[in-house]
Amino acid sequence: MFDKSTWIRLPRNVVVGHGVLDETVDAVAELHLTGRPLVVTSPTPREVAGDRVVEAFGAEGTEPALTTVQEASFAEVERVIETARSEEIGFLIGVGGGKVIDITKMAADELGKGFVSVPTAASHDGIVSGRGSVPEGDTRHSVAAEPPLAVVADTEILAEAPWRLTTAGCADIISNYTAVKDWQLAHRLKNVEYSEYAGALSQMTAEMLVENADSVKKGLEESAWVVVKALVSSGVAMSIAGSSRPASGAEHLFSHQLDRLVPGAALHGHQVGVGSIITEYLHSGETEWRKIRDALAGIGAPTTAEELGIDDETVIEALTTAHRIRDRYTILGDGVSEPAAREAARATGVI
């Protein structure tokens, strides 16, 4: 008897394009959410977009509550939860980069409230996904969280964000290339459940950026359009899979271990991009990894330890210990030996 079932939670509205921040109220109105919104933002995103969102709701007769977060931490998640309860809000709107959106979605999940994502930087695929990532001490926790009911991504704002944030978002998508290979490997060797549709969508999204990296240019709003659509697709793939598998493999384990060893040394997207160069080498040897490296270089993302600002020995340590981060089978298996890690890092020019 067939008894398989799944519950896929996807955004109802995805609004992307020039000047669409002004459509936030309309996008939310179609969701039939009730009560006051709580706008969660941080200092710079507040200036760029947060105050405009508050004013737009105020003009419609709904005065939102507003809170500004300073750091990515569980303490800030708890503070947002308490603010939402004390203000008796009906739903949350995250206006900002990855830090703000992850905090907002985690708070929304705990509260059982709807969440709207308004990114001000295209720095990673968390703008759509049902996963949140927050550091704690020398580790980083990736947890299930509330996916957005709507996404409002204004490419005019995204194009004006620091270019390194956009290249980090691109690198995060490109790393799906190896994440899917790891997922397929785990399916073959460990019987991990695999979704052909989610895997194909994630891989297609990564290949699109790899093949069109030359068209992603600083200062071009069209580039923000391409990148944010790819980030949305990646987030949808994770929702379909019901896990982060379509976008998180050995390259993410490598990045998380770097976060433990040298917290704050480089952006998450840049770390997983460099990680994907090495892990693709481990998957396929002397062929496909060059495509990933060249695509990253083409958009101006780091391709070496030096460009990350991380010393060679730390990279080797991360490679040889990354498999301990979580119980997720990848090309790293039960650990890469120090000589093998050094060979892979040298062969790809990472060190």
Side-chain angles (χ1 to χ4, degrees):
M1 178 179 176
F2 183 81
D3 61 359
K4 183 177 180 180
S5 66
T6 188
W7 187 336
I8 300 172
R9 303 168 72 191
L10 300 172
R12 295 183 207 167
N13 290 330
V14 177
V15 187
V16 180
H18 180 86
V20 299
L21 185 70
D22 295 333
E23 298 178 34
T24 304
V25 173
D26 291 338
V28 171
E30 290 191 2
L31 303 175
H32 304 292
L33 294 170
T34 59
R36 283 177 82 199
L38 171 62
V39 175
V40 183
T41 187
S42 58
T44 300
R46 177 176 178 174
E47 294 178 9
V48 171
D51 286 339
R52 286 173 58 187
V53 171
V54 171
E55 291 168 7
F57 277 95
E60 296 294 322
T62 302
E63 194 63 38
L66 174 70
T67 188
T68 303
V69 301
Q70 300 294 334
E71 62 179 8
S73 68
F74 284 106
E76 285 287 64
V77 174
E78 288 299 322
R79 190 178 64 78
V80 170
I81 291 170
E82 289 306 311
T83 300
R85 286 174 174 157
S86 65
E87 296 286 347
E88 299 182 339
I89 63 93
F91 59 96
L92 295 86
I93 304 175
V95 182
K99 170 180 68 179
V100 166
I101 288 176
D102 278 355
I103 287 173
T104 308
K105 71 171 71 167
M106 292 170 71
D109 188 69
E110 177 67 23
L111 292 161
K113 301 290 186 180
F115 156 58
V116 176
S117 174
V118 183
T120 57
S123 55
H124 67 63
D125 55 18
I127 64 174
V128 179
S129 75
R131 306 290 303 182
S133 179
V134 171
E136 184 178 41
D138 63 351
T139 189
R140 177 174 286 272
H141 297 274
S142 179
V143 299
E146 184 73 13
L149 293 171
V151 181
V152 180
D154 192 320
T155 52
E156 182 180 18
I157 291 172
L158 297 175
E160 293 177 356
W163 180 240
R164 68 189 191 96
L165 298 180
T166 303
T167 63
C170 288
D172 201 9
I173 293 298
I174 290 171
S175 78
N176 289 11
Y177 204 90
T178 50
V180 172
K181 288 190 175 184
D182 277 326
W183 193 15
Q184 292 168 335
L185 183 67
H187 174 65
R188 292 194 299 270
L189 298 185
K190 299 295 183 179
N191 202 33
V192 170
E193 186 173 356
Y194 180 74
S195 166
E196 293 283 353
Y197 184 49
L201 177 59
S202 181
Q203 187 168 7
M204 177 191 69
T205 303
E207 289 176 349
M208 179 187 73
L209 270 184
V210 168
E211 293 168 6
N212 296 285
D214 289 345
S215 66
V216 178
K217 302 292 185 184
K218 183 178 181 180
L220 284 181
E221 192 170 342
E222 292 87 345
S223 296
W225 171 270
V226 169
V227 175
V228 77
K229 287 204 303 178
L231 293 172
V232 169
S233 294
S234 182
V236 167
M238 285 187 273
S239 294
I240 293 169
S243 80
S244 60
R245 269 288 192 180
S248 177
E251 74 295 321
H252 273 65
L253 300 182
F254 168 74
S255 175
H256 293 326
Q257 190 66 329
L258 288 177
D259 288 337
R260 288 183 171 185
L261 298 171
V262 282
L267 293 173
H268 165 77
H270 290 160
Q271 291 179 172
V272 298
V274 171
S276 68
I277 297 173
I278 299 173
T279 55
E280 180 56 41
Y281 174 84
L282 296 175
H283 272 289
S284 62
E286 293 294 332
T287 55
E288 295 294 308
W289 67 267
R290 287 185 173 86
K291 288 172 59 177
I292 294 176
R293 179 200 60 191
D294 293 347
L296 292 170
I299 61 173
T303 61
T304 67
E306 183 179 6
E307 289 172 349
L308 283 176
I310 297 172
D311 67 83
D312 293 356
E313 294 309 308
T314 300
V315 167
I316 299 304
E317 184 178 354
L319 278 174
T320 55
T321 57
H323 65 287
R324 302 173 188 163
I325 289 286
R326 62 181 301 182
D327 184 21
R328 170 166 287 184
Y329 191 81
T330 70
I331 192 65
L332 300 178
D334 60 359
V336 178
S337 71
E338 189 273 338
R342 198 171 295 278
E343 166 62 22
R346 284 176 173 165
T348 54
V350 169
I351 66 171

